[in-house]
Amino acid sequence: MLSSEIVEGNEERYQFTWPNKRKAILAANAPINATLRPCREESVDFDTTQNLYIEGDNLDVLKCLKETYLHKVKMIYIDPPYNTGNDFVYEDDFAESASEYLANSGQFDEQGNRLVTNTESNGRFHTDWLNMIYPRLKVARDLLTEDGVIFISIDDNEVENLRKVCDEIFGESNFIATLVWERAYSPKNDAKYISNSHDYVLMYAKSAANFVIGRLERTAEANARYSNPDNDPRGVWKPSDMSVKTYNAECDYSITTPSGRVVEPPAGRCWRLSRNAFRERLQDNRIWFGSDGSSVPCIKRFITELKHDGMAPTSILFYKDVGHSQEGAQEVVSLFGDKGVFDGPKPVRLLERLITLANLKEDSIVLDFFSGSATTAHAVMKKNVEKEKNCRFIMVQLPEEVSDKKKDQGYKNICEIGKERIRRAGTKIKEENPEKAQKLDKGFRVLKLDSSNMKDVFYSPKETEQQDLFALVDNVKPDRTSGDLLFQVMLELGATLDSKIEESMVDGKTIYNVGDGYLVACFDQEVSEDVVKAIAKMQPMYAVLRDTSMADDATTTNFEQIFKTYAPNTTTKIL
């Protein structure tokens, strides 16, 4: 309201920004010192499954996956916190002392990031949510294939901000649609103003030019619109209006029907066909004048000549087609037999519809990094059986503590609920489809985010004493296993975490063969020349051993020469 003479500041430009946006961008690019450790005892079919369940802060997990899964994920679905005033959001890089931790009600992940309630009274209400979601979407985009697509569930609280964030990260030209999901099947009579019955699902492609949407199967209702009243040998058809609004003098003419009636184009319109085009279609029996031969002419559209199989999807997701929130809750109850195991799960049919729109290939990867109750994994398994595909899922979830009521039901955190749901859902799908589900992969490898397997050896001279030097001879942390080291190396060298792993013994040492010779590794101590020769003779793309593995100086000296002799094209790496 002040005079323009005293208004200061840079010249305005169209942009979307908020406090600490620059830090959010830096958070997406900042390196991490973390790895993923396998957990066989919580996995299902560890040695054969191609599915993954990863526990940990999803931003760090996405960064761990980034190099190995770059441009490999066909579909991402996330159901992030809606920022309703009661949701938890991350305060990234917000570390506290133990005493401060005890004084606060928030939870920490293993990297010291605090999970806090973002209340509406918070002066940074939208800012904190944006700083949480931005870096995660930024990293996730790099994982998508060029024809990949991301779906994000959200409600009215942040849909506008999320749309602007996605326009910036994915590009406005790659926006596909805002799907409106009919979440509730009946109104809430105690609503203050309007009973809110919907949520949104934002849909963005990695590249709209490369993305081809999946079409829906034709329903009986849709097929009922086609008939064949004139017994045309080309099959059933439906009439299509022959007039258009756009005027063209060449298409403004009168038509005489078989009954002799003269028909003009409707007022303000003209025919969509020129005279010659009309005559050609008339000759080919593609014009219909009604059963009595005196109706306004229309064009016959044959179902056999449709350009696409199936129907074009619409932006409204009706609950009769994709389920409602209560259906999602009932599905969890039917699996667990208990009420209140998980709050607000999405219905499986909703995820099945999104999977259809994503147009997955035979073995596409589906990622959900706000996995919750693992509805996405459930839907992928159901779709695999229905379409006889072998699509894989990667579920990522922070092991958030659950309420005391849920603990009484036997679950300490959300991850335990999600993993148990996958186990039960896979078993149920197989029981309901004994023939089609014989080859269903209902297993998953459990991996847990943790700090690096390697010791922190970057000490300054004044911080190091002589006895410390002997302690640093072995650079691997004492609590880490060979399996931990193997999965770290798999991430570093580009072997997907679902790769086939075979173990063999040579001279009493365990040799791991990953991906049929892509990577061969041995992390045991006292490795002899015979073991090194056995690895070299396998001629892997990569061979990895520990720095302290060699049994003696002779083995260390001959190591390079052995590989030159037996596997000159193998790249060797020493941990």
Side-chain angles (χ1 to χ4, degrees):
M1 296 175 67
L2 298 175
S3 167
S4 59
E5 296 298 325
I6 59 173
V7 173
E8 297 178 352
N10 296 328
E11 186 175 348
E12 301 92 338
R13 65 186 179 90
Y14 183 80
Q15 61 181 327
F16 179 54
T17 189
W18 62 89
N20 289 337
K21 180 180 180 181
R22 186 170 297 180
K23 288 185 179 180
I25 296 173
L26 292 174
N29 299 321
I32 58 168
N33 187 27
T35 191
L36 299 176
R37 300 177 65 185
C39 183
R40 276 183 172 269
E41 57 271 22
E42 297 179 22
S43 303
V44 176
D45 300 331
F46 184 94
D47 292 322
T48 58
T49 185
Q50 292 184 297
N51 302 316
L52 303 176
Y53 191 99
I54 306 176
E55 298 184 20
D57 166 19
N58 50 20
L59 178 57
D60 285 351
V61 171
L62 289 171
K63 289 182 179 181
C64 286
L65 298 176
K66 184 174 179 180
E67 294 300 324
T68 301
Y69 287 88
L70 188 70
H71 305 160
K72 291 182 179 178
V73 176
K74 181 68 168 70
M75 169 185 165
I76 296 175
Y77 170 77
I78 58 171
D79 185 15
Y82 284 5
N83 212 21
T84 61
N86 298 307
D87 294 319
F88 287 105
V89 297
Y90 275 116
E91 284 191 340
D92 290 317
D93 300 321
F94 190 105
E96 293 188 355
S97 66
S99 60
E100 289 174 316
Y101 170 72
L102 293 174
N104 287 282
S105 60
Q107 300 178 54
F108 282 90
D109 69 5
E110 294 177 358
Q111 278 65 51
N113 298 319
R114 191 159 66 98
L115 201 64
V116 297
T117 304
N118 194 30
T119 61
E120 291 182 88
S121 59
N122 177 11
R124 293 166 54 92
F125 181 62
H126 293 292
T127 290
D128 285 349
W129 189 87
L130 287 166
N131 285 332
M132 180 276 295
I133 200 69
Y134 188 95
R136 288 159 174 80
L137 293 178
K138 188 80 171 173
V139 180
R141 181 188 179 277
D142 292 334
L143 303 181
L144 284 173
T145 59
E146 287 304 306
D147 63 344
V149 63
I150 184 170
F151 301 93
I152 310 171
S153 285
I154 201 68
D155 70 1
D156 284 308
N157 289 285
E158 295 292 352
V159 65
E160 291 185 13
N161 287 333
L162 181 61
R163 175 72 187 272
K164 291 182 175 69
V165 166
C166 289
D167 281 347
E168 180 172 321
I169 293 175
F170 296 96
E172 289 184 56
S173 61
N174 294 317
F175 169 73
I176 302 298
T178 298
L179 307 177
V180 182
W181 171 43
E182 191 181 15
R183 172 178 50 82
Y185 67 92
S186 62
K188 294 181 179 179
N189 292 322
D190 60 350
K192 185 177 181 180
Y193 299 114
I194 299 291
S195 178
N196 193 335
S197 300
H198 70 279
D199 279 349
Y200 304 100
V201 182
L202 295 192
M203 181 180 181
Y204 280 80
K206 173 72 172 292
S207 169
N210 295 316
F211 175 64
V212 177
I213 197 163
R215 300 177 73 85
L216 308 181
E217 291 186 2
R218 300 194 64 82
T219 64
E221 180 183 357
N223 287 333
R225 298 171 188 162
Y226 289 81
S227 61
N228 195 359
D230 60 345
N231 296 317
D232 194 305
R234 287 165 291 197
V236 295
W237 51 271
K238 70 175 182 178
S240 175
D241 187 3
M242 210 179 95
S243 67
V244 292
K245 290 182 180 180
T246 306
Y247 184 78
N248 184 342
E250 292 185 2
C251 299
D252 188 359
Y253 53 90
S254 60
I255 295 175
T256 303
T257 69
S259 66
R261 177 188 170 202
V262 177
V263 179
E264 300 289 343
R269 302 170 72 93
C270 64
W271 305 122
R272 69 173 64 243
L273 301 174
S274 66
R275 289 178 185 272
N276 288 337
F278 171 77
R279 288 169 182 155
E280 289 174 0
R281 282 166 175 74
L282 184 64
Q283 187 70 25
D284 196 29
N285 191 26
R286 290 178 179 269
I287 303 297
W288 177 246
F289 294 95
S291 57
D292 61 357
S294 63
S295 299
V296 175
C298 60
I299 302 172
K300 293 163 65 174
R301 304 290 189 188
F302 293 91
I303 195 170
T304 55
E305 296 177 350
L306 293 175
K307 291 183 179 179
H308 304 282
D309 292 332
M311 300 166 54
T314 66
S315 60
I316 301 179
L317 304 173
F318 294 106
Y319 72 74
K320 65 181 179 65
D321 298 321
V322 301
H324 44 66
S325 56
Q326 188 168 337
E327 180 177 310
Q330 290 168 346
E331 288 169 342
V332 174
V333 171
S334 68
L335 287 172
F336 287 84
D338 294 317
K339 291 184 177 181
V341 172
F342 190 86
D343 300 324
K346 295 292 186 287
V348 173
R349 286 198 292 160
L350 173 64
L351 269 297
E352 287 187 279
R353 170 62 61 88
L354 301 184
I355 288 171
T356 297
L357 302 187
N359 200 17
L360 302 185
K361 297 180 173 62
E362 175 63 30
D363 57 352
S364 295
I365 297 175
V366 178
L367 168 65
D368 184 343
F369 54 89
F370 283 95
S371 172
S373 68
T375 302
T376 303
H378 190 163
V380 169
M381 290 189 292
K382 279 198 70 176
K383 254 332 190 184
N384 277 344
V385 171
E386 179 187 333
K387 297 298 182 182
E388 298 183 345
K389 291 185 177 181
N390 188 35
C391 295
R392 297 165 281 167
F393 63 75
I394 301 176
M395 300 292 105
V396 181
Q397 176 61 45
L398 181 79
E400 298 176 40
E401 288 189 16
V402 297
S403 65
D404 291 339
K405 180 182 178 181
K406 294 180 177 65
K407 289 179 182 177
D408 292 340
Q409 293 170 305
Y411 305 100
K412 293 185 297 184
N413 57 55
I414 291 179
C415 291
E416 290 188 355
I417 296 172
K419 288 179 288 188
E420 184 61 21
R421 178 180 186 170
I422 299 173
R423 296 185 190 103
R424 297 187 182 208
T427 299
K428 183 178 180 181
I429 292 170
K430 279 212 162 189
E431 290 174 350
E432 293 175 346
N433 304 272
E435 295 184 5
K436 294 185 69 175
Q438 289 182 6
K439 296 182 180 180
L440 174 66
D441 180 1
K442 63 184 183 67
F444 53 91
R445 283 182 180 173
V446 175
L447 302 166
K448 299 189 178 185
L449 183 73
D450 207 334
S451 59
S452 172
N453 295 317
M454 317 309 290
K455 291 179 180 178
D456 184 2
V457 296
F458 300 102
Y459 298 114
S460 63
K462 67 179 182 179
E463 295 173 332
T464 307
E465 297 182 3
Q466 188 169 355
Q467 59 266 29
D468 295 331
L469 299 176
F470 295 99
L472 299 176
V473 171
D474 189 348
N475 60 348
V476 177
K477 292 176 181 176
D479 64 334
R480 303 307 165 94
T481 66
S482 294
D484 295 334
L485 296 176
L486 179 64
F487 274 81
Q488 174 184 319
V489 172
M490 288 168 64
L491 279 172
E492 292 174 352
L493 298 180
T496 57
L497 298 174
D498 61 350
S499 296
K500 178 183 174 184
I501 302 173
E502 296 176 310
E503 296 182 21
S504 59
M505 300 293 292
V506 175
D507 199 15
K509 309 301 179 186
T510 302
I511 295 177
Y512 298 96
N513 184 341
V514 179
D516 294 324
Y518 179 82
L519 162 66
V520 175
C522 179
F523 303 107
D524 291 337
Q525 303 285 356
E526 301 295 320
V527 172
S528 64
E529 279 194 30
D530 290 339
V531 176
V532 176
K533 285 181 181 178
I535 294 174
K537 287 179 179 180
M538 296 169 75
Q539 297 184 335
M541 184 173 293
Y542 295 99
V544 182
L545 291 91
R546 285 176 63 172
D547 188 35
T548 58
S549 290
M550 306 307 173
D552 48 46
D553 291 341
T555 305
T556 304
T557 303
N558 295 332
F559 175 83
E560 187 175 341
Q561 189 58 46
I562 290 172
F563 274 91
K564 282 185 178 180
T565 302
Y566 295 102
N569 297 321
T570 295
T571 300
T572 58
K573 179 179 175 65
I574 302 296
L575 286 182

